Amino acid sequence: MDDDLKQNDAETCRRVLSGDRNAFREIVLRYQKQMLRTASSFLGDAEQAHDAVQEIFIKVFHSLHKFDTNRPFAPWLYSIAMNTLRTSYGRRRRIEFREGIEYDEPAGAAPEAESQNPIDEVIREEQRREVSAAIATLPPTLREVVVLYYIEQLSVSETSEALGITTENVKSRLFRARKILKGKLLPDATDGAVW
Amino acid sequence: MNTERFDTIITRWENGETPSPDDVRALEQACAADVRVARRYGKILPFIRRDAGLESADESPLRPNGAAEPRSQLVEIADLVMESIAESGHLPRRRHRISLPVAAAAVIAIALVGIGAIASTLFFSPTQQPIAHDSPSDTVTVRFSLVAPEAQSVSIVGDFNDWAPGLHVLAEPDSDGVWWIEIPLQRGDTYTYNFLIDDEVWIPDPRAERTIRDPFGTKKSVLNL
């Protein structure tokens, strides 16, 4: 993790803690893109992700006094994010169960891309949809490690810190997730040929 | 094109072997050269790249939404968060700052929402000893309740849940409009908390042992265990 960023985060947090509430905006602007990506990948619903990200930052603000400014900020932020997203996901599942809602595919799947470069862009968009759909079907415990490790590119130890589980647990979940993802994303080819 | 080599790379990856950057590059080149290879391996490739220690580009299939998020939506998030923080009136505070002057007990917020709420901690209250759920351990289960017959939802927010709305939602009310929840808390600790009604109105517990005001004038209920 970038040392300058770590330094900046710590400094900004200290300013917030010493009463400069507006400094918190810097934290939001610095991390909102990552948070939105994480939330969208985990929840599979863009609108719900938008709301969840707000909730994450509000929670971070109210918990900031517990953050040790000598430690890196990002894993701590992700730990709050994942707790919030689990709750948000559970809430949605309860609503869906009560109202009998079913999705044929993840709600966050993007519409067909308007492509300028026909083949590349179409394939890329198609693949994005399929990858998102495959991640969205993982059980939440596997999905969260996939989102943090593969999408957010956190290290195994940062992922472990963010989720409050051991590194061995992270590795074991990644192992299981890989098996499932491979099954979903790589069509069977018995003869070793693509055509 | 025979893809046996690539299938082998992927099988090894699936079984926990770290792919080599050379293998990944070979696969990338094959994908770039032939659309059929790209269709077959393109979706799994970014996962393999990551495990080989190569970073994902923004156009990677693993980055579906964030990279494309319109700037206006991102700015909106910051505005909404800052607005909400300002409305809540709280500032993250270190625990030792809890000893603030005790404030007067007016419950203005209750009048504003017209719910005529009364609230209490039942199994443990300022004048009572815990009468239930009290185990020999260091944990005490505290029952919080609030009469709010017109509320659509009530949750409790406090030090014990990082002031996060929605984590501790009170059970739906009985015929008397009493919402309640039981929360295990640490014996010997002091907690501050408030109720949150309809995700909008924060009110202190009117029957709390005492309330305090934070530096921004917001009242909080205090519970000593």
Side-chain angles (χ1 to χ4, degrees):
Chain A
M1 194 163 291
D2 189 313
D3 279 348
D4 286 345
L5 181 63
K6 211 188 288 183
Q7 201 68 34
N8 275 344
D9 287 342
E11 183 49 41
T12 313
C13 290
R14 282 188 206 106
R15 279 165 54 208
V16 177
L17 287 168
S18 61
D20 179 2
R21 195 194 306 246
N22 286 328
F24 192 71
R25 177 183 283 272
E26 290 173 31
I27 291 178
V28 179
L29 293 174
R30 200 174 295 157
Y31 284 101
Q32 62 183 347
K33 199 169 169 179
Q34 290 97 308
M35 288 298 109
L36 207 46
R37 193 168 53 213
T38 303
S40 298
S41 304
F42 187 81
L43 298 171
D45 180 303
E47 195 179 331
Q48 204 192 358
H50 200 267
D51 292 344
V53 170
Q54 291 170 48
E55 200 178 327
I56 289 166
F57 282 117
I58 291 167
K59 211 181 279 188
V60 166
F61 177 81
H62 289 301
S63 308
L64 207 58
H65 63 285
K66 293 182 182 171
F67 171 59
D68 176 355
T69 50
N70 295 314
R71 295 182 60 80
F73 179 71
W76 184 77
L77 169 66
Y78 278 109
S79 74
I80 291 182
M82 295 317 295
N83 278 332
T84 308
L85 294 175
R86 281 184 210 127
T87 307
S88 191
Y89 178 75
R91 206 183 295 145
R92 193 183 81 188
R93 287 294 295 267
R94 285 194 293 277
I95 291 168
E96 285 168 7
F97 179 75
R98 273 209 306 269
E99 299 180 358
I101 298 170
E102 286 178 14
Y103 292 112
D104 291 334
E105 60 177 294
E112 190 73 31
E114 284 184 30
S115 111
Q116 293 174 335
N117 178 351
I119 293 180
D120 282 359
E121 198 47 47
V122 167
I123 289 179
R124 194 174 295 145
E125 200 49 47
E126 193 179 283
Q127 292 185 336
R128 275 187 188 136
R129 281 207 303 276
E130 288 183 48
V131 169
S132 289
I135 292 174
T137 58
L138 291 171
T141 50
L142 302 187
R143 196 185 324 149
E144 58 194 19
V145 292
V146 166
V147 168
L148 294 182
Y149 178 80
Y150 284 111
I151 297 179
E152 291 309 310
Q153 312 262 306
L154 266 57
S155 67
V156 167
S157 71
E158 287 168 340
T159 304
S160 130
E161 193 176 335
L163 295 175
I165 58 177
T166 64
T167 54
E168 286 314 308
N169 250 327
V170 172
K171 288 177 191 167
S172 134
R173 289 186 193 184
L174 285 172
F175 182 81
R176 280 153 57 210
R178 272 195 293 268
K179 293 260 177 209
I180 298 174
L181 289 170
K182 189 223 166 188
K184 287 180 186 297
L185 296 174
L186 192 69
D188 281 333
T190 51
D191 58 358
V194 292
W195 55 86
Chain B
M1 179 181 290
N2 191 298
T3 58
E4 207 170 326
R5 177 188 173 192
F6 302 137
D7 285 339
T8 306
I9 294 170
I10 287 165
T11 302
R12 285 184 184 157
W13 164 78
E14 181 195 2
N15 290 322
E17 200 174 300
T18 303
S20 76
D22 284 347
D23 281 343
V24 175
R25 276 183 214 111
L27 186 50
E28 278 177 334
Q29 281 165 7
C31 286
D34 192 320
V35 71
R36 288 166 295 187
V37 180
R39 278 192 185 280
R40 175 164 170 74
Y41 297 105
K43 289 168 283 182
I44 210 80
L45 181 58
F47 294 96
I48 295 177
R49 271 184 67 86
R50 168 71 180 105
D51 283 315
L54 303 167
E55 282 190 12
S56 278
D58 264 356
E59 67 271 15
S60 156
L62 279 179
R63 303 206 153 183
N65 295 309
E69 198 64 32
R71 183 163 168 72
S72 59
Q73 278 196 35
L74 293 174
V75 173
E76 189 195 45
I77 287 178
D79 287 344
L80 290 170
V81 169
M82 295 309 292
E83 200 178 304
S84 172
I85 287 170
E87 275 174 10
S88 79
H90 296 289
L91 191 71
R93 298 171 310 114
R94 297 196 185 281
R95 286 188 185 281
H96 66 267
R97 294 186 195 168
I98 201 166
S99 55
L100 292 171
V102 177
V107 189
I108 297 167
I110 298 175
L112 286 176
V113 293
I115 56 169
I118 58 167
S120 64
T121 58
L122 295 182
F123 293 127
F124 189 87
S125 78
T127 54
Q128 293 171 325
Q129 291 301 307
I131 56 172
H133 301 284
D134 190 11
S135 70
S137 73
D138 288 338
T139 303
V140 182
T141 299
V142 179
R143 182 177 173 116
F144 296 88
S145 67
L146 178 75
V147 178
E150 293 175 26
Q152 298 299 308
S153 69
V154 178
S155 62
I156 188 165
V157 288
D159 300 330
F160 42 79
N161 61 15
D162 296 334
W163 295 89
L167 281 187
H168 287 109
V169 179
L170 275 66
E172 296 197 1
D174 57 18
S175 55
D176 296 326
V178 179
W179 299 72
W180 64 274
I181 190 170
E182 291 177 14
I183 303 175
L185 297 172
Q186 196 68 24
R187 190 194 303 277
D189 277 2
T190 296
Y191 297 92
T192 58
Y193 66 98
N194 277 343
F195 290 113
L196 176 61
I197 296 169
D198 294 346
D199 290 327
E200 284 180 3
V201 181
W202 299 58
I203 62 163
D205 184 341
R207 291 177 63 186
E209 179 185 30
R210 65 188 179 103
T211 55
I212 56 170
R213 277 190 196 277
D214 69 15
F216 295 90
T218 303
K219 239 203 235 189
K220 292 176 176 176
S221 325
V222 178
L223 173 64
N224 292 305
L225 284 178

